[in-house]
Amino acid sequence: MEELTPAEEIIAEQTEILHALRRYYRDLYRVDIVPLNPDDYYDQQLDRRDYREPKDESRRQAAKEAGVSLPLRIRALLSETARSELNERKAAADARQIVLAEEHAAMVEEDRAYFLQQQNQYNEMIDERKRMYLNGDPDEVMAYFEDVLLGDRFMIEFAEQPPLYKSCARAISYDPGKKSLCIRYRVPNADEICTIKSFTYNEKEWAVETKELPAQNAHRVRTDVLHAIIVRTAALVFYSDTYHLVDSLTITGYLDYFDRAYGTNQTVDVLKTTISEEEFLKVDLERARLEDLFARLFKTDVSTGLYRKEPYELKGVA
């Protein structure tokens, strides 16, 4: 087997990373999904620390106040007068230590009582939040599912160590009567999704260059990643809904982009979809085909031209 040139080695490494990312894209809607359990969620927030008693420094402090120092101890080895002085100061230190030890014990009891009071109040607050969640309190339900989504960890960018995707997910409303939850979720910009086809070496520039997929294929890749993220989001919500507080989930996906004309970041809602928990829980994600799953179960409105037009050209969905 011929030895690869340095350029060929780089291309081989980059190609391997690219193929791994393509496989990851294919399974994104079902891989590494870690649902949250409400009981665990609230239990983990409880303060179970034991009180740590401050160290009793009464002996050291008493000796310091009485003047029982190292130089005096050394002199006491050589002088009867110094030895007598040392013994007097030790007796004074012992008497002072009794007082300081009692003060320390009183301080510890007061500090322990305050610690336990604060701990109990905090834990009661967590228990109350859990009761509110179980009773369908909108703010608490939204806070829980927001944490569910913000805790999701995945990546979509092409890199040896790609950054975690930032969904900026936010729950915006919950209707306890209808058990309907609405969330806003940042969907990827076109340049965040890898559409590289292959790598070539430019001998003139001494650099490895990328070749992009044809426009139609690139659009398909971006659309598949978008659909995978939406399905993944629904899976996280419904799989974390242990107490069945959500019957219907509405996801509004938005682009957050830099508008070069205005010099500011802008957002535009480009997708709105609704899915019922009852239907979704019938799905076996390990066997379901993403394209069919998204088309048949998700009632979706998408901005015309998404991933074909510039973001500022898109008309937001209602």
Side-chain angles (χ1 to χ4, degrees):
M1 184 176 179
E2 294 185 6
E3 186 175 345
L4 297 178
T5 66
E8 290 172 334
E9 287 183 357
I10 294 174
I11 290 175
E13 291 173 359
Q14 295 295 297
T15 301
E16 184 178 349
I17 295 172
L18 178 63
H19 289 168
L21 183 62
R22 285 278 178 264
R23 292 191 296 270
Y24 186 74
Y25 279 178
R26 187 174 61 245
D27 294 331
L28 181 58
Y29 66 102
R30 60 190 173 190
V31 69
D32 297 332
I33 293 178
V34 183
L36 197 57
N37 179 284
D39 295 322
D40 294 338
Y41 172 74
Y42 289 103
D43 186 69
Q44 289 168 4
Q45 295 183 59
L46 293 174
D47 185 353
R48 302 184 185 281
R49 294 173 301 158
D50 292 326
Y51 174 72
R52 296 183 63 181
E53 182 176 323
K55 184 178 180 181
D56 185 355
E57 300 282 356
S58 59
R59 183 179 181 83
R60 184 187 63 81
Q61 183 62 28
K64 182 179 179 180
E65 291 182 12
V68 181
S69 62
L70 180 60
L72 179 59
R73 291 177 184 275
I74 295 174
R75 292 202 308 272
L77 297 174
L78 306 174
S79 166
E80 187 66 32
T81 301
R83 187 179 303 114
S84 176
E85 180 183 356
L86 176 62
N87 289 336
E88 288 178 3
R89 294 193 178 191
K90 280 185 175 182
D94 290 341
R96 179 58 178 159
Q97 182 185 353
I98 294 174
V99 175
L100 292 176
E102 291 175 348
E103 292 177 352
H104 174 78
M107 181 274 293
V108 166
E109 288 306 310
E110 182 179 349
D111 190 53
R112 178 187 285 109
Y114 179 76
F115 172 85
L116 294 176
Q117 179 189 38
Q118 294 296 305
Q119 186 181 60
N120 289 337
Q121 289 179 353
Y122 175 80
N123 288 341
E124 287 174 0
M125 181 266 291
I126 297 298
D127 290 338
E128 177 59 21
R129 284 183 55 202
K130 183 177 180 179
R131 284 191 291 270
M132 292 170 64
Y133 170 80
L134 295 174
N135 290 330
D137 176 80
D139 289 338
E140 196 59 42
V141 170
M142 288 190 294
Y144 169 73
F145 284 108
E146 202 167 282
D147 282 350
V148 166
L149 296 175
L150 291 175
D152 191 20
R153 301 171 67 84
F154 65 93
M155 62 285 294
I156 61 172
E157 295 183 45
F158 177 78
E160 290 187 18
Q161 294 182 329
L164 292 174
Y165 182 72
K166 295 182 179 179
S167 68
C168 305
R170 186 167 63 88
I172 56 176
S173 70
Y174 174 72
D175 185 330
K178 297 179 180 179
K179 291 188 175 182
S180 60
L181 176 67
C182 297
I183 65 172
R184 280 178 61 78
Y185 196 102
R186 187 184 76 82
V187 298
N189 291 303
D191 59 3
E192 291 183 273
I193 301 173
C194 176
T195 55
I196 297 172
K197 179 182 179 181
S198 60
F199 301 93
T200 58
Y201 183 67
N202 186 326
E203 294 185 357
K204 292 182 179 180
E205 298 293 333
W206 290 8
V208 173
E209 298 178 344
T210 61
K211 182 178 180 180
E212 291 289 310
L213 290 167
Q216 186 64 29
N217 293 22
H219 181 265
R220 177 61 181 271
V221 170
R222 293 182 175 116
T223 300
D224 285 348
V225 170
L226 172 63
H227 291 174
I229 289 175
I230 297 302
V231 172
R232 180 186 186 89
T233 301
L236 268 171
V237 169
F238 293 138
Y239 293 167
S240 301
D241 186 23
T242 306
Y243 291 99
H244 303 292
L245 297 179
V246 178
D247 285 347
S248 172
L249 173 66
T250 297
I251 302 170
T252 299
Y254 68 94
L255 287 178
D256 185 339
Y257 66 96
F258 180 74
D259 191 315
R260 295 186 296 273
Y262 289 89
T264 58
N265 275 68
Q266 304 284 341
T267 62
V268 56
D269 294 346
V270 295
L271 175 148
K272 191 169 186 178
T273 186
T274 301
I275 176 70
S276 78
E277 181 177 75
E278 181 180 4
E279 285 300 310
F280 191 88
L281 293 182
K282 295 177 183 177
V283 175
D284 181 351
L285 283 183
E286 292 301 318
R287 302 176 64 187
R289 187 167 179 264
L290 175 62
E291 184 177 2
D292 295 328
L293 167 61
F294 193 84
R296 289 172 55 186
L297 270 69
F298 288 76
K299 300 174 183 178
T300 307
D301 183 15
V302 181
S303 291
T304 302
L306 178 61
Y307 294 141
R308 294 186 189 277
K309 298 179 178 180
E310 290 294 323
Y312 69 84
E313 297 178 301
L314 299 172
K315 182 179 180 181
V317 298

